[in-house]
Amino acid sequence: MNVKSISRTVGLILLITGIFQLFPLLIAVIDHEPRNILAYIESLCLILLVGSALLLFSRGGNRMFSAQEGFAATGLSWIFMSAFGALPFFLSGQIPSYVDAFFEMVSGFTTTGASILTDVEALSRCNLFWRSFSHWLGGMGVLVFLLAVVPGARKNGGTGIYLMRAESPGPSVDKLTPHLRQTAMILYGIYILLTALCIVCLLLGGMPVFDSFCIAFGTAGTGGFAIKNSSMGGYSCFLQTVVTVFMFLFGVNFSLYYMLLLRKFKAVFKNEELRLYFGIAAGSIVLIAINISRMYNTVYEAVHHAAFQVVSIMTTTGYGTVDFEQWPAFSKAILLSLMFIGASAGSTGGGLKVSRVLLLMKSIRRTIRKGLETGGSFYRLRYRKKRAKRKRLVLLCDVSGSMVQFSEFALRFIQSLNQVSESSRVFLFSETAVEADAFRLQNMDLFRSYVKDSGIYGRGTDLGEALETLCAMHPSVL
């Protein structure tokens, strides 16, 4: 493995992260916050020190790298970004635990949106900005930015595609132009343009400037870090609608926007993934709006909240306008399904991706047609006018099937834990070892029964074999 090329990439990423920390530092200076100013200066010094050391270490080395180096550089870049990006929160004292600060930044850069904060409004404006800005940086990917703007990162043509492939969450990476640098610049150009348009629309709706930038960053990165404890619930209906529209737009494959710029309207409207993405979202909105219509005064209000939550969940943004935990089980089941499906490939959204769902649907249709047809005819599966490779289809089906099986097992296991919640008190306050052993045996039997019912226990699956071995070797695991 070419360690020096990996070191160089990670060093450049760190220095870019330090450059972006100048924005929250400027806000801290404007707000006259000496402690936060010192925290960001200390963070910048550490970033400069480590980043420069990595670049010096990589001097004179071969800059060419393969897929192996590409994956290693991508993974290490995200780790280093999160580790050093968490320093301002920790050094300022607003998140006293570094582990909590690290969790917050990992959630920010990966656009996960999970948070350890119970009172977001207690953070200073500079930290709120940096927290939301991490979503924007992670949405399109800092490595794509590196390929677009850093001169040295785009030399030795062809090797940069490994960084793109390692960072891309979709099933494939499309080069919009023959040159990778131009592709990266086009993607970031579209990303910046849509973000700027979102900020302008929020400003026209009466949202404060600071709020507009932070909400737009969370919307563009589809991460959902809010700056108010009520998320989007405290803003007007118009602003919520603006965010709904842009969350949906950022969930579309960015290559389609490039095709629109080239005036290939017919090809865009014929795109199978876009039509399925729109169809799933529209269908879910209609079903949920009908299901919750009795909970709101008007049909418009029901459709409004349904549309916001459907798009927010499907794009894995996570903003909220209402507490949908109070909605009927049917609506929550749809939202849970949308969470797994996710947005389009080549977008900033997360999830399984609509393109993979489309491939799964086509694979199922092919299997059915193959079983019904006679005479040796064979139905070839095609996606984007290309024949899908058999190995990828098999892997996709195996992974998707394993996800469904494990999700079912997890739900059943949680159900079993709920059933033994009362008996757990007996274990915690048991006075003798006999009572404790009886509790272990009782819950092991219940655990095994749920594993068997889930359909993954047994020699038919790798997970089943692992669980069977665990139960045999460690009968007192519970």
Side-chain angles (χ1 to χ4, degrees):
M1 183 178 289
N2 192 343
V3 178
K4 289 195 173 183
S5 65
I6 297 173
S7 174
R8 182 175 181 277
T9 302
V10 176
L12 287 172
I13 290 295
L14 266 184
L15 293 180
I16 291 174
T17 304
I19 292 173
F20 285 130
Q21 282 192 2
L22 292 174
F23 295 111
L25 174 60
L26 178 62
I27 295 175
V29 172
I30 294 173
D31 292 344
H32 304 289
E33 297 172 337
R35 187 169 184 179
N36 290 326
I37 293 173
L38 182 61
Y40 278 97
I41 291 176
E42 290 174 349
S43 175
L44 285 169
C45 291
L46 287 172
I47 289 174
L48 181 62
L49 179 65
V50 177
S52 300
L54 289 172
L55 289 178
L56 287 174
F57 172 76
S58 66
R59 289 185 64 181
N62 184 8
R63 296 183 181 181
M64 299 290 290
F65 53 88
S66 61
Q68 188 178 15
E69 284 81 10
F71 277 101
T74 302
L76 289 173
S77 295
W78 286 105
I79 294 172
F80 273 75
M81 282 169 54
S82 302
F84 286 89
L87 289 176
F89 294 118
F90 176 67
L91 295 174
S92 65
Q94 296 196 349
I95 300 182
S97 170
Y98 178 77
V99 175
D100 289 343
F102 181 70
F103 178 93
E104 199 74 12
M105 286 316 298
V106 170
S107 179
F109 281 122
T110 59
T111 69
T112 303
S115 177
I116 53 91
L117 299 172
T118 56
D119 184 11
V120 177
E121 297 177 20
L123 289 179
S124 59
R125 290 205 318 157
C126 59
N127 283 334
L128 282 174
F129 182 90
W130 177 237
R131 182 171 173 265
S132 297
F133 195 49
S134 66
H135 273 336
W136 191 84
L137 293 174
M140 182 59 66
V142 182
L143 289 169
V144 179
F145 181 83
L146 176 71
L147 294 171
V149 301
V150 179
R154 58 180 184 253
K155 291 182 179 179
N156 303 320
T159 59
I161 191 65
Y162 295 117
L163 288 175
M164 291 276 284
R165 287 175 179 171
E167 190 164 47
S168 174
S172 61
V173 177
D174 294 331
K175 291 179 65 175
L176 305 181
T177 63
H179 301 287
L180 186 63
R181 172 178 174 263
Q182 292 181 357
T183 298
M185 291 183 67
I186 290 170
L187 290 174
Y188 249 98
I190 295 171
Y191 189 51
I192 294 172
L193 181 62
L194 282 175
T195 305
L197 188 59
C198 180
I199 293 173
V200 170
C201 291
L202 291 174
L203 290 173
L204 292 176
M207 184 179 285
V209 176
F210 179 78
D211 293 26
S212 298
F213 275 86
C214 291
I215 295 299
F217 291 152
T219 303
T222 60
F225 271 163
I227 59 174
K228 295 185 181 297
N229 295 328
S230 59
S231 188
M232 287 296 299
Y235 295 102
S236 66
C237 183
F238 174 79
L239 293 175
Q240 292 173 0
T241 303
V242 169
V243 172
T244 302
V245 172
F246 278 95
M247 283 191 298
F248 184 85
L249 293 177
F250 281 106
V252 175
N253 193 322
F254 275 52
S255 63
L256 297 180
Y257 294 127
Y258 180 66
M259 293 173 69
L260 286 176
L261 294 176
L262 297 179
R263 298 185 178 181
K264 296 181 179 180
F265 305 109
K266 190 175 181 180
V268 172
F269 293 123
K270 282 188 175 182
N271 184 270
E272 295 175 299
E273 184 184 25
L274 177 62
R275 288 188 291 179
L276 182 60
Y277 173 61
F278 181 82
I280 293 174
S284 301
I285 292 171
V286 171
L287 291 174
I288 292 179
I290 294 173
N291 190 232
I292 66 173
S293 58
R294 295 182 180 180
M295 300 178 62
Y296 298 97
N297 298 326
T298 62
V299 176
Y300 172 78
E301 192 176 359
V303 173
H304 170 75
H305 290 301
F308 188 96
Q309 293 306 150
V310 163
V311 177
S312 178
I313 294 296
M314 189 172 182
T315 59
T316 68
T317 304
Y319 282 142
T321 55
V322 292
D323 182 12
F324 57 83
E325 180 64 26
Q326 306 302 320
W327 287 1
F330 176 74
S331 297
K332 289 189 287 186
I334 293 177
L335 293 178
L336 181 64
S337 302
L338 295 175
M339 190 185 304
F340 280 98
I341 294 173
S344 303
S347 69
T348 61
L352 184 63
K353 302 298 184 186
V354 176
S355 59
R356 292 190 176 98
V357 174
L358 180 62
L359 282 171
L360 281 173
M361 292 170 59
K362 288 192 171 189
S363 180
I364 293 171
R365 184 177 66 174
R366 184 190 68 170
T367 303
I368 294 173
R369 289 187 60 174
K370 186 179 179 181
L372 294 177
E373 292 179 357
T374 58
S377 59
F378 183 72
Y379 175 73
R380 298 187 183 277
L381 194 154
R382 305 185 71 83
Y383 174 66
R384 293 184 182 176
K385 298 182 180 181
K386 298 178 182 178
R387 182 181 173 185
K389 294 182 179 180
R390 180 178 177 81
K391 289 183 179 180
R392 289 188 178 181
L393 290 175
V394 172
L395 179 61
L396 177 61
C397 292
D398 288 345
V399 171
S400 302
S402 298
M403 288 176 61
V404 172
Q405 283 187 329
F406 186 78
S407 299
E408 182 184 359
F409 163 72
L411 290 173
R412 287 179 178 271
F413 184 59
I414 292 171
Q415 205 173 17
S416 70
L417 293 180
N418 292 333
Q419 289 189 10
V420 300
S421 59
E422 289 297 326
S423 58
S424 63
R425 298 178 185 176
V426 178
F427 174 71
L428 291 173
F429 299 103
S430 59
E431 297 180 356
T432 65
V434 175
E435 292 179 357
D437 290 339
F439 172 80
R440 290 191 185 98
L441 290 174
Q442 173 190 353
N443 287 288
M444 176 54 70
D445 291 338
L446 186 59
F447 172 73
R448 285 176 174 174
S449 67
Y450 272 93
V451 172
K452 289 178 180 179
D453 292 341
S454 66
I456 61 174
Y457 182 83
R459 293 293 177 184
T461 60
D462 293 335
L463 182 57
E465 292 181 11
L467 289 171
E468 187 174 359
T469 304
L470 174 67
C471 292
M473 296 178 64
H474 305 281
S476 60
V477 69
L478 288 180

